[in-house]
Amino acid sequence: MKVGAPKEVRPGEARVALTPESAQHIQKLGHECLIEAGAGVAAGFDDAAYRKAGVEVVEGAEALWQAADVVIKVREPTEDEAGWLRNDQTLISFFWPAQNEAMLERCKASGATVVAMDMVPRISRAQKMDVLSSTANIAGYRAVIEAGNQFGRFFTGQVTAAGKVPPAKVLVVGAGVAGLAAIGTATSLGAVVRAFDVRPEVAEQIESMGAEFLFLDFDESQDGAESGGYAKPSSPEFREKQLALFREQAAEVDIVITTALIPGKPAPKLWLEDMVQAMKPGSVIIDLAAEKGGNCDLTVPDQRIVTDNGVVVVGYTDFPSRMATQASLLYATNIRHMLTDLTPDKDGVLQHDMEDDVIRGTTVTHQGEITFPPPPPKVKAIGAAKPKPRVKEPTPEEKKAAEHAAFLAQTKRQVTMLVVGGVVMWLLGLVAPASFMQHFIVFALSCFVGFQVIWNVSHSLHTPLMAVTNAISGIIILGAILQIGSSSILVGLLAGISVLIASINIVGGFLVTRRMLAMFQKS
């Protein structure tokens, strides 16, 4: 079949659904590749690069739609493009079927099969086709870069001769793929990052990236995810507590990045007008949900506005297009994997298996019928597992009581060991010769003193494993020193050799450990 990629007609859209690299993979599936002239120029791929990859360059959008059996796009089709669809054709693109009922009916009437890439189910097998994740990753990264461009100070704190600059405080609302990308980028730039999400299971991910998780003590937050791994709408009670938390943060933070989206619904309003008014002049809000209405009350899609109190609100909807080359490479790879699943025999013939979780989940029209919404996937979604219960921190009184109990238990064990040891020594003394008892006492003292001397060295100077080996070497040295003065020449010689070898082992251990620790020190 012929797979064609038209030029995107939405203003400001620079991405393309087919790259020279992905075209080569698609051709191995038995398909021919077509592209509209100039479709990849804005993303950094000229027509010559496509021709070199064996792609046919077609002049004009209508000609491409007529020639292609499978049309791959980034944005949902326009009215004109929908008019070119025919019943033997397949369209693969973003579609947002829940918000495009009229377009669904239009595609149904054409008889074409429409595969909505934004409907890829969040199961492990479908991760390679998850365009929302690949696109959100770019958007989260670019949001921080855009915030740095709009913000009037450093991200990282600095101490200079001209004065001290505090680090920027960044709040990320929503810890999905875009949120985590924003957290990682802001943290790497030196900002103090805080993050909130209705799903408490993401707390470990947030904290592992160096950010602070704002935990909301509310029962509903223990189950804030739907079966698809996305956040679900919250109850009025939870929402009120959530907004109260944001109002506390509004006066403190410098940059707010909102990423909250609920599939099939308008973006929830989380950053209200009174919160914007409470922010400091020069603060920045980056609303990644602007295309779906925005998480901020004052967001204007595709515009940057400045409020009366000097807060910058950015509602750009083209963050991935601002990194068009990278975004196109990732999106084209997602499309290529979708075509791989649709062409299992690699013979250039699409097999639309409606029993397949991924294909069924993404198909919104097929054979003249609307197939949206799909049934839930048979395979459990990523992130659908219940989170572990959060452990309550003990109070200072409880900590003190626990430490006292541990001290008493340790003392009891030590006294018991001393009593048992004394009894054993007494019983041995009754039957063993005097020379054995002398050597046995020397061995016991060597073990105790050598172990205590080496083991008590701080682990900042050597690793715990090295502490054990050095402790053993210390035992050997102490015992050997006691035997060097022996009347036997052989015993004295062996004792001297033991001291030398054990000393080399200890000194070498410290030198090796120092080199290991130096690898983790900042130059």
Side-chain angles (χ1 to χ4, degrees), residues 400-416:
K400 188 174 181 180
E403 290 174 358
H404 182 66
F407 174 75
L408 291 178
Q410 183 180 11
T411 303
K412 184 178 180 180
R413 286 196 301 270
Q414 290 175 343
V415 171
T416 302

Side-chain angles (χ1 to χ4, degrees), residues 74-92:
V74 178
R75 296 283 187 169
E76 58 269 31
T78 64
E79 290 292 331
D80 289 339
E81 290 173 330
W84 293 329
L85 278 172
R86 57 181 189 269
N87 60 4
D88 61 343
Q89 205 167 34
T90 298
L91 170 65
I92 304 176

Side-chain angles (χ1 to χ4, degrees), residues 97-109:
Q99 289 89 26
N100 282 330
E101 294 182 8
M103 185 58 68
L104 264 179
E105 292 291 343
R106 185 82 181 270
C107 294
K108 169 191 171 183

Side-chain angles (χ1 to χ4, degrees), residues 141-194:
Y141 172 85
R142 181 69 194 194
V144 176
I145 303 303
E146 192 65 39
N149 184 45
Q150 302 291 340
F151 190 52
R153 297 205 315 266
F154 296 121
F155 265 67
T156 184
Q158 297 201 9
V159 179
T160 69
K164 183 178 179 181
V165 180
K169 295 180 180 178
V170 178
L171 172 63
V172 178
V173 180
V177 176
L180 292 174
I183 290 168
T185 307
T187 303
S188 66
L189 291 175
V192 175
V193 184
R194 304 166 185 174

Side-chain angles (χ1 to χ4, degrees), residues 59-267:
E59 294 291 339
E62 186 174 359
L64 182 130
W65 281 79
Q66 290 176 352
D69 302 303
V70 181
V71 178
I72 56 177
K73 276 178 50 61
V74 178
R75 296 283 187 169
E76 58 269 31
T78 64
E79 290 292 331
D80 289 339
E81 290 173 330
W84 293 329
L85 278 172
R86 57 181 189 269
N87 60 4
D88 61 343
Q89 205 167 34
T90 298
L91 170 65
I92 304 176
S93 71
F94 277 96
F95 199 88
W96 310 109
Q99 289 89 26
N100 282 330
E101 294 182 8
M103 185 58 68
L104 264 179
E105 292 291 343
R106 185 82 181 270
C107 294
K108 169 191 171 183
S110 71
T113 296
V114 176
V115 176
M117 292 301 292
D118 50 280
M119 292 295 297
V120 172
R122 304 202 81 177
I123 58 178
S124 297
R125 184 170 65 85
Q127 288 186 54
K128 59 188 178 182
M129 300 169 241
D130 191 353
V131 297
L132 292 180
S133 293
S134 59
T135 303
N137 185 34
I138 294 173
Y141 172 85
R142 181 69 194 194
V144 176
I145 303 303
E146 192 65 39
N149 184 45
Q150 302 291 340
F151 190 52
R153 297 205 315 266
F154 296 121
F155 265 67
T156 184
Q158 297 201 9
V159 179
T160 69
K164 183 178 179 181
V165 180
K169 295 180 180 178
V170 178
L171 172 63
V172 178
V173 180
V177 176
L180 292 174
I183 290 168
T185 307
T187 303
S188 66
L189 291 175
V192 175
V193 184
R194 304 166 185 174
F196 174 82
D197 197 283
V198 297
R199 301 162 296 170
E201 63 266 25
V202 302
E204 292 182 2
Q205 299 177 51
I206 291 169
E207 291 167 355
S208 69
M209 299 180 76
E212 176 190 357
F213 178 66
L214 301 178
F215 181 74
L216 193 60
D217 190 11
F218 193 81
D219 289 341
E220 183 179 344
S221 66
Q222 297 299 320
D223 190 20
E226 289 185 316
S227 62
Y230 296 94
K232 69 177 183 181
S234 55
S235 67
E237 294 80 8
F238 179 81
R239 176 174 168 79
E240 287 304 315
K241 284 209 169 189
Q242 185 183 39
L243 294 180
L245 175 65
F246 292 159
R247 287 189 178 96
E248 292 176 6
Q249 296 294 320
E252 298 182 25
V253 297
D254 303 302
I255 295 170
V256 177
I257 299 174
T258 63
T259 70
L261 283 171
I262 299 173
K265 296 180 175 62

